[in-house]
Amino acid sequence: MYKDFSHIKNVSEDGTSATMLLNKRIGNLYNEDGTLAQVGIQGDQFANEMLYLKTQNVKIIEVEINSVGGDVIQGYDIINAIQKHKANTRCTGIAASMAFGCLIAGVKRSIVDYGSLMTHAVSGGTDENKVLGIFQDSLKTLYIANTKLKEDEADTLFKGENWFSNSKKADFTLQDAL
Protein backbone atom coordinates (compact mmCIF):
# COMPACT_ATOMS: atom_id res chain seq x y z
CA MET A 1 0.00 0.00 0.00
CA TYR A 2 2.77 2.49 0.91
CA LYS A 3 5.00 1.63 -2.06
CA ASP A 4 3.29 4.24 -4.23
CA PHE A 5 4.45 7.09 -2.00
CA SER A 6 7.66 9.05 -2.52
CA HIS A 7 8.61 9.74 1.10
CA ILE A 8 6.92 7.07 3.27
CA LYS A 9 9.28 4.20 4.05
CA ASN A 10 9.49 1.43 6.64
CA VAL A 11 5.95 1.26 8.00
CA SER A 12 5.91 -1.15 10.94
CA GLU A 13 4.07 -4.44 10.54
CA ASP A 14 1.42 -3.39 13.03
CA GLY A 15 1.05 -0.03 11.26
CA THR A 16 1.70 2.10 14.34
CA SER A 17 4.99 3.69 13.25
CA ALA A 18 6.55 4.85 10.00
CA THR A 19 9.63 6.57 8.67
CA MET A 20 9.52 9.35 6.11
CA LEU A 21 12.60 10.42 4.15
CA LEU A 22 13.50 14.05 3.54
CA ASN A 23 16.55 13.20 1.48
CA LYS A 24 16.68 15.60 -1.44
CA ARG A 25 16.72 19.30 -2.04
CA ILE A 26 13.56 21.01 -0.75
CA GLY A 27 11.71 22.37 -3.78
CA ASN A 28 12.86 22.41 -7.38
CA LEU A 29 16.06 24.08 -8.55
CA TYR A 30 15.96 26.22 -11.68
CA ASN A 31 18.67 27.50 -14.02
CA GLU A 32 19.07 31.24 -14.56
CA ASP A 33 17.04 30.95 -17.78
CA GLY A 34 14.12 29.44 -15.84
CA THR A 35 14.54 25.86 -17.02
CA LEU A 36 14.30 23.07 -14.48
CA ALA A 37 17.72 21.94 -13.25
CA GLN A 38 16.72 19.52 -10.49
CA VAL A 39 13.45 18.12 -9.16
CA GLY A 40 13.28 18.38 -5.40
CA ILE A 41 10.89 17.48 -2.63
CA GLN A 42 7.55 19.25 -2.94
CA GLY A 43 6.35 20.44 0.46
CA ASP A 44 2.67 19.84 -0.23
CA GLN A 45 3.32 16.27 -1.37
CA PHE A 46 5.41 15.55 1.73
CA ALA A 47 2.69 17.06 3.95
CA ASN A 48 -0.05 15.05 2.19
CA GLU A 49 1.86 11.80 2.72
CA MET A 50 2.25 12.60 6.41
CA LEU A 51 -1.46 13.39 6.63
CA TYR A 52 -2.21 10.05 4.99
CA LEU A 53 -0.19 8.25 7.68
CA LYS A 54 -2.27 9.97 10.35
CA THR A 55 -5.51 8.88 8.64
CA GLN A 56 -4.18 5.31 8.84
CA ASN A 57 -3.69 5.70 12.63
CA VAL A 58 0.10 5.70 12.47
CA LYS A 59 1.03 6.95 15.94
CA ILE A 60 4.78 7.57 15.58
CA ILE A 61 6.31 9.27 12.55
CA GLU A 62 10.08 9.56 12.26
CA VAL A 63 11.43 11.95 9.62
CA GLU A 64 14.98 11.15 8.53
CA ILE A 65 16.72 14.18 7.05
CA ASN A 66 19.69 14.25 4.70
CA SER A 67 19.22 17.41 2.67
CA VAL A 68 21.08 20.52 1.57
CA GLY A 69 17.91 22.54 2.18
CA GLY A 70 16.26 24.66 -0.45
CA ASP A 71 13.07 26.64 -0.95
CA VAL A 72 11.61 28.39 2.10
CA ILE A 73 7.98 28.20 0.89
CA GLN A 74 8.20 24.44 0.26
CA GLY A 75 9.98 24.06 3.60
CA TYR A 76 7.14 25.78 5.45
CA ASP A 77 4.74 23.04 4.27
CA ILE A 78 7.12 20.39 5.62
CA ILE A 79 7.71 22.20 8.92
CA ASN A 80 3.97 22.64 9.44
CA ALA A 81 3.32 18.93 8.77
CA ILE A 82 6.09 17.86 11.16
CA GLN A 83 4.74 20.10 13.92
CA LYS A 84 1.06 19.35 13.28
CA HIS A 85 1.59 15.59 13.41
CA LYS A 86 4.14 15.75 16.25
CA ALA A 87 6.76 13.86 14.26
CA ASN A 88 10.30 13.17 15.47
CA THR A 89 13.24 14.24 13.31
CA ARG A 90 16.71 12.77 12.84
CA CYS A 91 19.58 14.11 10.78
CA THR A 92 21.18 11.13 9.05
CA GLY A 93 23.87 13.10 7.20
CA ILE A 94 23.34 16.80 6.62
CA ALA A 95 20.53 19.16 7.55
CA ALA A 96 21.50 22.44 5.93
CA SER A 97 19.63 25.68 5.47
CA MET A 98 15.86 24.98 5.24
CA ALA A 99 16.45 21.33 6.17
CA PHE A 100 17.86 22.63 9.49
CA GLY A 101 14.48 24.31 10.08
CA CYS A 102 12.73 21.02 9.32
CA LEU A 103 14.98 19.25 11.84
CA ILE A 104 14.20 21.80 14.54
CA ALA A 105 10.45 21.34 13.97
CA GLY A 106 10.54 17.77 15.33
CA VAL A 107 9.27 16.88 18.80
CA LYS A 108 12.33 14.71 19.49
CA ARG A 109 15.38 15.68 17.48
CA SER A 110 18.60 13.75 17.00
CA ILE A 111 21.63 13.57 14.75
CA VAL A 112 24.11 10.82 13.89
CA ASP A 113 27.63 11.39 15.25
CA TYR A 114 29.01 11.96 11.73
CA GLY A 115 26.23 14.40 10.79
CA SER A 116 26.46 18.10 10.02
CA LEU A 117 24.10 21.03 10.39
CA MET A 118 24.35 24.39 8.63
CA THR A 119 22.56 27.72 8.93
CA HIS A 120 22.96 30.95 6.98
CA ALA A 121 21.16 34.16 6.10
CA VAL A 122 18.06 33.71 3.95
CA SER A 123 18.86 34.35 0.30
CA GLY A 124 17.62 33.77 -3.22
CA GLY A 125 14.63 34.40 -5.42
CA THR A 126 14.47 38.14 -5.00
CA ASP A 127 16.76 41.01 -4.13
CA GLU A 128 14.06 42.64 -2.06
CA ASN A 129 15.55 42.88 1.43
CA LYS A 130 12.14 43.31 3.05
CA VAL A 131 10.87 39.90 1.87
CA LEU A 132 14.11 38.13 2.77
CA GLY A 133 14.05 39.82 6.17
CA ILE A 134 10.49 38.65 6.81
CA PHE A 135 11.44 35.06 5.93
CA GLN A 136 14.52 35.28 8.15
CA ASP A 137 12.51 36.65 11.09
CA SER A 138 9.97 33.88 10.59
CA LEU A 139 12.68 31.21 10.74
CA LYS A 140 14.23 32.92 13.77
CA THR A 141 10.84 32.65 15.51
CA LEU A 142 10.84 28.90 14.72
CA TYR A 143 14.37 28.49 16.11
CA ILE A 144 13.60 30.37 19.33
CA ALA A 145 10.29 28.54 19.88
CA ASN A 146 11.86 25.10 19.41
CA THR A 147 15.24 25.52 21.09
CA LYS A 148 16.74 27.16 24.13
CA LEU A 149 18.21 29.96 22.00
CA LYS A 150 17.77 33.56 22.99
CA GLU A 151 17.02 36.14 20.28
CA ASP A 152 20.60 37.41 19.98
CA GLU A 153 21.90 33.82 19.75
CA ALA A 154 19.39 33.03 17.01
CA ASP A 155 20.47 36.18 15.16
CA THR A 156 24.05 34.88 14.96
CA LEU A 157 22.82 31.77 13.11
CA PHE A 158 21.74 34.04 10.24
CA LYS A 159 25.10 35.77 9.86
CA GLY A 160 27.40 34.07 7.40
CA GLU A 161 27.52 30.28 7.17
CA ASN A 162 27.50 28.43 10.49
CA TRP A 163 28.43 24.74 10.62
CA PHE A 164 27.73 22.32 13.48
CA SER A 165 29.75 19.12 13.23
CA ASN A 166 32.25 16.96 15.08
CA SER A 167 34.82 18.14 12.52
CA LYS A 168 37.56 20.41 13.82
CA LYS A 169 36.81 22.67 10.82
CA ALA A 170 33.25 23.39 11.99
CA ASP A 171 32.21 26.62 13.71
CA PHE A 172 30.36 24.71 16.44
CA THR A 173 30.33 21.14 17.72
CA LEU A 174 27.30 18.87 17.66
CA GLN A 175 27.26 19.25 21.44
CA ASP A 176 26.79 23.00 20.89
CA ALA A 177 23.78 22.16 18.72
CA LEU A 178 22.16 20.42 21.67
Side-chain angles (χ1 to χ4, degrees):
M1 165 171 35
Y2 297 105
K3 68 180 186 273
D4 295 329
F5 291 99
S6 298
H7 310 292
I8 299 171
K9 308 294 179 198
N10 302 327
V11 177
S12 64
E13 283 189 34
D14 65 1
T16 61
S17 66
T19 300
M20 293 186 69
L21 301 181
L22 184 61
N23 60 353
K24 290 183 184 176
R25 182 183 199 290
I26 298 169
N28 295 336
L29 180 64
Y30 295 92
N31 295 312
E32 286 185 24
D33 65 1
T35 58
L36 182 64
Q38 179 184 6
V39 175
I41 294 172
Q42 304 307 302
D44 61 340
Q45 180 184 7
F46 191 93
N48 285 336
E49 288 186 25
M50 191 174 283
L51 179 60
Y52 178 80
L53 288 175
K54 283 301 187 175
T55 66
Q56 299 302 302
N57 295 316
V58 173
K59 304 281 186 244
I60 300 169
I61 300 173
E62 303 282 340
V63 178
E64 293 188 357
I65 301 170
N66 185 22
S67 172
V68 296
D71 186 271
V72 174
I73 304 297
Q74 298 293 326
Y76 281 156
D77 282 339
I78 296 167
I79 288 169
N80 182 56
I82 289 169
Q83 289 183 328
K84 181 179 180 179
H85 301 297
K86 297 179 176 39
N88 299 321
T89 53
R90 179 174 176 78
C91 175
T92 59
I94 185 170
S97 190
M98 198 61 197
F100 185 90
C102 294
L103 177 71
I104 287 175
V107 174
K108 293 181 183 176
R109 303 173 295 269
S110 62
I111 183 171
V112 295
D113 61 356
Y114 55 84
S116 299
L117 309 172
M118 189 272 286
T119 65
H120 63 86
V122 175
S123 62
T126 178
D127 290 331
E128 190 178 332
N129 288 334
K130 181 177 183 178
V131 173
L132 296 178
I134 289 169
F135 284 159
Q136 192 158 296
D137 287 346
S138 172
L139 291 171
K140 186 172 74 170
T141 298
L142 171 76
Y143 287 21
I144 292 169
N146 290 283
T147 68
K148 295 178 182 176
L149 289 173
K150 294 178 178 33
E151 186 169 351
D152 60 327
E153 294 169 322
D155 281 334
T156 64
L157 296 180
F158 293 104
K159 293 180 180 158
E161 248 183 36
N162 299 283
W163 285 89
F164 295 80
S165 173
N166 284 333
S167 168
K168 290 182 171 48
K169 296 176 182 176
D171 304 298
F172 303 96
T173 67
L174 291 180
Q175 189 61 38
D176 293 331
L178 293 176

